[in-house]
Amino acid sequence: LRCLVGSEMCIRDSIGNLGVLFAVGCAFSLSRKEKGWAAFSALVCYLTMLKTVEILLGAAGLAADNTTVEALQKVGLTSIQASEQSALYTTSLGFFGYSSGVFGGIIVGCLVAWITGRFYKTKLPTALAFFAGSRTVPIVSLVAGGILGGIMYFVWPVIGGCFSGIATFVKGSGLVGTFVYRWVLELSLIHISE
C-alpha cells in the first residue's frame, strides 16, 4: 500500500511539473544544433522566469498563503470568485507564481530553441573566450528568462483569465461546451479544462 501511495505522489508531482518538462523537451526538439546546451538552457530560463514572477508577485503582496480560496473569501470574494482567482496561482518547483503550466513551458522551449540557433556560434574577445560558442546560450537564456518573467507578470493574468473563461464556458454550456471541449483537446490545450 505504501508503494502505491508513493507512485501516486510521483505521478501527481510529474503532472504538476509538466511545464518544465515541456520547456526542456521543446528546446531539445526544436534546436538544430547543440541540443544538450538547449535543454540545459531551457531549464535555466524556466527557473529564472519562475523566480522573476515570484519576486514580482511578492512585491505586489501576493504569496501562496494569501491567494488560497479561504484567504480570498476572508477578503470578501464569493466562493466562485475566490476559486477563479486562486486558480491563477500555483507553486511549481518551489516557486510561487502564475499557473502557466504547459503553456509557459512551450513558450520557454521555443524561445530557448531560437536563442540556441542564434547564439551557439558566438565569438567573444579573448578575455571572455571561455564563455564563447555554446556556453553563451545559457547566459543569454538566463537574461531572457528574467525578461520573460517580467512580461509574464503583466500578461499572464489576461491569458489565464481567458483560459479560465473557456473552462467556465465549457462546464456550463452543455452540448456546445462538449464541442468546444473537443476543439480544445484537438489544440492540445487540455490543461485549461482542469
Side-chain angles (χ1 to χ4, degrees):
L1 183 64
R2 200 162 112 193
C3 179
L4 291 176
V5 171
S7 64
E8 180 182 315
M9 288 175 52
C10 180
I11 291 169
R12 187 184 66 226
D13 290 342
S14 297
I15 290 173
N17 293 316
L18 278 176
V20 71
L21 296 175
F22 268 76
V24 172
C26 286
F28 184 86
S29 299
L30 295 175
S31 296
R32 292 189 178 106
K33 303 280 185 178
E34 301 294 339
K35 290 182 176 282
W37 282 105
F40 172 69
S41 300
L43 181 63
V44 169
C45 185
Y46 191 79
L47 294 175
T48 306
M49 179 191 75
L50 291 178
K51 186 62 180 176
T52 303
V53 170
E54 180 182 55
I55 290 170
L56 292 172
L57 287 173
L62 297 171
D65 59 346
N66 64 8
T67 56
T68 62
V69 174
E70 295 80 20
L72 292 171
Q73 283 179 327
K74 288 179 184 175
V75 175
L77 296 177
T78 66
S79 61
I80 293 173
Q81 291 172 330
S83 64
E84 287 176 355
Q85 184 69 26
S86 178
L88 290 175
Y89 306 101
T90 190
T91 300
S92 177
L93 300 173
F95 298 102
F96 171 74
Y98 293 126
S99 57
S100 59
V102 172
F103 191 76
I106 291 172
I107 291 170
V108 168
C110 292
L111 176 65
V112 170
W114 177 81
I115 290 171
T116 303
R118 176 82 170 87
F119 291 101
Y120 81 97
K121 288 185 177 180
T122 301
K123 305 272 190 246
L124 294 174
T126 306
L128 300 173
F130 177 77
F131 301 108
S134 58
R135 292 186 187 107
T136 306
V137 176
I139 297 168
V140 175
S141 296
L142 180 75
V143 174
I147 293 169
L148 182 61
I151 293 169
M152 289 290 278
Y153 173 75
F154 293 105
V155 173
W156 187 256
V158 175
I159 296 170
C162 289
F163 284 168
S164 178
I166 291 171
T168 303
F169 171 76
V170 166
K171 187 175 181 181
S173 62
L175 188 58
V176 175
T178 305
F179 172 76
V180 172
Y181 183 75
R182 178 70 182 159
W183 181 69
V184 167
L185 285 177
E186 293 295 327
L187 293 176
S188 299
L189 296 174
I190 195 166
H191 67 282
I192 69 170
S193 61
E194 295 175 355

